[in-house]
Amino acid sequence: MRLAAVVPAGLAVAGCDLDAAKPTFAIPEPAKYRAAAEKQAPPVPDRWADTFGSRELSALVDRALADNLDIAAAVARIEQADAQAKISGAPLFPQVTMNDSTQRARSAGTAAALLPPRQSDGTNRFAGSYRSLNVLGLNASYQLDFWGRNRDAASAARLLAEASRYDRDVVQIATLASVANYYFAVLGAQDRLRIARDNVRIASQVLAAVKARAAVGTASEFDLAQQEAVLATQRANIPTLEQTVQQTKNLLAVLVGQAPELIDIKGGSLTSLRAPRVQPGLPSQLLLRRPDIAEAETKVASADLSVSSARAAFFPSITLTGAYGVQAQLLKFLLRPEAVVWSYAAQLAQPILDGRNLQGQLDLQRGRYAELLQLYHKQIITALSDVENALVAVQKNSERERLQQAAANASRRAYDAAIKRLQEGTIDIVTLSTTQTSLFQNLDLVAQTRTARFQSLVSLYQALGGGWTDVKRELARISEAAAFSDPKGFIP
């Protein structure tokens, strides 16, 4: 891990607390997940959404990758971090400026004379004088980085630029998971809407049968009102489900960066999808497949370098300065050899009394390091917990769907038997109403549990890193190095 490699050497200055014990923690590495076998597994496929077998879902994922605004904002944060890295790295290079000027000045004669300005003959002996000066030259300065203060500050900023790339990957994975979850919510709501409309059809048929019995005097007004209530209840469910379908589609439109009016999401049914089998692998593999863990680790390494930079500020700084150019009162003499001027100097500065400003800066960076280290620790534990929770959710939702489907099948048989007895005239309407309601509820619950099962699979994909691997980590480092070395950021 990078964290173990970034341990700055301790420095000591009289009267300053520079060497302090650094907080540490033991990285938890359980042998296996409780809800899975102890078995290694390849990383999640990069296009994991394709494993559900929906072309529309795959198309929505592609649109989100191209147009999602949260991902675009994360990319903009990368550009900001790259720019900040260049700013922090600027002290590592000499600073050279051009100094060109031309000036003409008049000095008052009375400012340098004690006698009256005029002689007896009326001439002005002490008239003002004029002076011109033309300058063409370069100034340069460079701070020798003996103690690594500037180098560590630049490296810390570059690590933050690298972390911003991991943050972009975190945002992308979360966005794609949201796209899949909302899409499954649309399909689940459409399944429930079809079930509700079929329930209305069934309840209408039963109502027709009850009306027929009431017409011949074998059913009471109570029986008729009871069945009408059942039918009205099922009809009342339809507007709510239609609202859910439309509003969830609108949320999907936002995720793909489109106005709801400009995108057409057809949806379908969850029964037409396939549920992939996801292998979680070992917990030790997870630590290399989560961009949020890489981001937290990189921020800790950056904070560690910031501590080193703050510590180096206690030591003397040496600055070299130099100037070279030409000066002349008349422009025609500006390029003559005797017009050349130059100078160079070296300056040594050592902080002595600063009101404990430097110590405060060091303590601030130490506190920041300790905070990020604990957040890094928490991120690892949270990642392991995410996988365990997702595995449990997949298992229990699959079991729940199986049991709920069995309950729906039993309710269907009970309803068929009740209808047969209704036709025979050997059942009361209360029993029939109860049987109908049980069937309607169980069918709706099957659709809900199926939606939950598919969404738990998405959560498992996300918890396992969403296809992120060490290859993408290395690509992020290469991208950061290329951005930092881009010569467009410097004036040659």
Side-chain angles (χ1 to χ4, degrees), residues 132-190:
S132 298
L133 182 62
N134 299 286
V135 178
L136 179 64
L138 296 175
N139 294 330
S141 65
Y142 179 67
Q143 186 179 59
L144 298 180
D145 198 25
F146 277 124
W147 319 110
R149 177 184 181 183
N150 297 333
R151 182 185 66 251
D152 289 340
S155 297
R158 293 188 62 178
L159 286 174
L160 290 179
E162 182 181 324
S164 69
R165 285 159 170 80
Y166 302 142
D167 176 69
R168 185 261 181 199
D169 294 332
V170 172
V171 173
Q172 175 178 310
I173 293 170
T175 298
L176 300 188
S178 296
V179 169
N181 279 328
Y182 281 136
Y183 185 72
F184 293 149
V186 169
L187 268 57
Q190 288 176 328

Side-chain angles (χ1 to χ4, degrees), residues 27-33 282-284 384 388:
I27 296 178
E29 292 190 13
K32 61 181 292 292
Y33 296 110
L282 299 176
S284 58
L384 296 171
E388 290 283 7

Side-chain angles (χ1 to χ4, degrees), residues 183-193 241 268-270 447-448 451:
Y183 185 72
F184 293 149
V186 169
L187 268 57
Q190 288 176 328
D191 285 341
R192 294 180 64 195
L193 186 57
L241 293 173
S269 174
L270 288 173
Q448 293 185 50
T451 302

Side-chain angles (χ1 to χ4, degrees), residues 257-328:
Q258 300 292 327
E261 298 82 4
L262 301 179
I263 186 171
D264 181 25
I265 300 174
K266 295 180 180 179
S269 174
L270 288 173
T271 57
S272 64
L273 303 183
R274 59 173 178 263
R277 296 190 62 182
V278 186
Q279 299 296 331
L282 299 176
S284 58
Q285 294 178 300
L286 180 68
L287 302 183
L288 302 176
R289 296 175 180 174
R290 291 267 301 220
D292 52 351
I293 292 179
E295 180 185 3
E297 176 190 344
T298 306
K299 287 183 176 180
V300 172
S302 174
D304 196 9
L305 288 170
S306 295
V307 172
S308 298
S309 179
R311 184 187 293 112
F314 285 89
F315 293 88
S317 62
I318 300 176
T319 303
L320 304 178
T321 60
Y324 183 89
V326 290
Q327 295 181 2

